[in-house]
């Protein structure tokens, strides 16, 4: 689902279950779909592929931007490393939220062999600081969950670490619904409740502020009054 496109960038609403870029032969991914789209636009003559400047995990849906040129990719990458990109997520936990608003600061270590990250001590070699803030938006009853509730939270990222939201929320006692890696006791049967709903950045060519918002489509979000902007 293309939300915006010009000569420099393509902004999409990635659906849950689709990989941004897959190493598996024959598996459909967003990059190959967009390259096919650009090839069709160019009448089969385009040779320059889209550039991946950030990623969303395969089970996560939401807004994602791709660069069409190396200059655009370099510009957006600079924004990524200087906090020029704004990312807001909506997430669903299967627990009752006691602290309605909180800032989480942890140090995460990534285990590449397991493709998982863990909260650890600051002094652990390879540990990186991870910061996010969450706010409870709504709570509804759901007898499929371990707590009897589903809770919708708004999350603002200050850093971008591997599986950061999933790890930090689990570590603080609010694991996400449908998270097979970090919430193995989940009994709901629902898919992962995580959506990158808002992405803000400066256009790499014009410098204009670009804001994109999507409404989560996943079943974990059903029953909530999803805000039209966050």
């Amino acid at each position: 689902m293309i939300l915006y496109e010009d000569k420099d960038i393509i902004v999409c609403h990635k659906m849950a279950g689709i990989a941004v870029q897959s190493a598996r032969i024959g598996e459909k991914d967003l990059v190959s779909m967009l390259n096919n789209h650009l090839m069709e636009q160019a009448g089969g003559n385009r040779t320059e592929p889209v550039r991946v400047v950030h990623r969303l995990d395969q089970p996560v849906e939401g807004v994602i931007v791709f660069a069409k040129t190396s200059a655009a990719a370099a510009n957006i990458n600079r924004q990524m490393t200087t906090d020029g990109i704004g990312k807001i997520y909506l997430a669903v936990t299967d627990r009752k939220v006691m602290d309605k608003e909180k800032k989480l600061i942890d140090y995460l270590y990534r285990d590449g062999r397991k493709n998982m990250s863990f909260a650890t001590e600051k002094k652990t070699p390879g540990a990186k600081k991870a910061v996010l803030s969450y706010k409870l938006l709504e709570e509804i009853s759901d007898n499929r969950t371990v707590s009897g509730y589903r809770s919708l939270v708004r999350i603002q990222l200050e850093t971008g670490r591997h599986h950061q939201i999933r790890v930090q929320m689990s570590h603080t006692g609010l694991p996400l619904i449908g998270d097979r890696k970090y919430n193995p006791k989940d009994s709901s049967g629902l898919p992962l409740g995580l959506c990158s709903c808002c992405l803000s950045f400066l256009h790499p060519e014009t410098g204009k502020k670009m804001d994109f918002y999507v409404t989560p489509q996943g079943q974990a979000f059903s029953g909530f009054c999803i805000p039209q902007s966050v």
Side-chain angles (χ1 to χ4, degrees):
M1 296 175 62
I2 295 176
L3 304 174
Y4 175 85
E5 180 179 3
D6 61 22
K7 66 180 181 63
D8 300 296
I9 59 174
I10 301 180
V11 182
C12 300
H13 180 181
K14 185 187 90 68
M15 293 293 102
I18 297 177
V20 171
Q21 195 169 25
S22 175
R24 298 177 182 174
I25 298 174
E27 183 175 82
K28 186 177 1 180
D29 60 49
L30 196 50
V31 166
S32 60
M33 290 186 225
L34 290 176
N35 283 332
N36 289 338
H37 162 71
L38 295 178
M39 187 69 74
E40 290 177 5
Q41 277 187 337
N45 296 320
R46 182 181 174 91
T47 58
E48 193 170 18
V50 294
R51 273 105 169 147
V52 178
V53 291
H54 68 119
R55 297 175 185 271
L56 293 175
D57 295 336
Q58 189 163 341
V60 179
E61 70 166 303
V63 188
I64 184 168
V65 59
F66 295 88
K68 283 185 170 183
T69 67
S70 56
N75 181 285
I76 295 174
N77 277 322
R78 279 195 298 273
Q79 293 185 55
M80 290 279 184
T81 57
T82 57
D83 298 327
I85 301 286
K87 296 178 183 178
I88 296 175
Y89 287 74
L90 288 176
V92 180
T93 174
D94 62 359
R95 309 300 164 91
K96 188 172 178 65
V97 180
M98 305 309 293
D99 294 317
K100 309 305 181 187
E101 201 165 345
K102 192 173 183 180
K103 185 171 186 174
L104 304 181
I105 302 174
D106 297 294
Y107 287 85
L108 305 186
Y109 170 76
R110 180 177 181 175
D111 186 331
R113 291 175 300 176
K114 294 181 179 179
N115 190 30
M116 294 181 71
S117 290
F118 304 90
T120 186
E121 296 182 354
K122 180 179 180 179
K123 62 183 180 181
T124 301
K128 295 182 178 180
K129 188 176 183 179
V131 184
L132 65 80
S133 298
Y134 77 76
K135 180 179 180 180
L136 176 66
L137 299 181
E138 189 180 355
E139 204 167 64
I140 60 177
S141 298
D142 193 326
N143 58 18
R144 294 172 296 181
T145 70
V146 294
S147 67
Y149 291 91
R150 264 189 297 138
S151 302
L152 177 69
V153 294
R154 173 192 185 272
I155 295 174
Q156 180 144 17
L157 282 180
E158 293 186 27
T159 55
R161 306 302 181 204
H162 178 254
H163 292 175
Q164 179 179 335
I165 293 174
R166 298 162 66 183
V167 177
Q168 285 195 276
M169 293 299 283
S170 178
H171 183 63
T172 201
L174 298 173
L176 301 192
I177 205 164
D179 193 339
R180 308 293 179 252
K181 283 182 179 288
Y182 303 103
N183 189 13
K185 294 182 179 179
D186 173 42
S187 59
S188 69
L190 291 168
L192 180 64
L194 185 59
C195 175
S196 172
C197 62
C198 185
L199 184 68
S200 303
F201 57 93
L202 300 180
H203 191 280
E205 179 67 25
T206 67
K208 178 184 176 181
K209 179 78 177 298
M210 310 288 286
D211 296 294
F212 297 94
Y213 176 83
V214 297
T215 301
Q217 303 296 309
Q219 293 179 15
F221 295 91
S222 65
F224 292 112
C225 295
I226 304 294
Q228 292 306 302
S229 63
V230 290

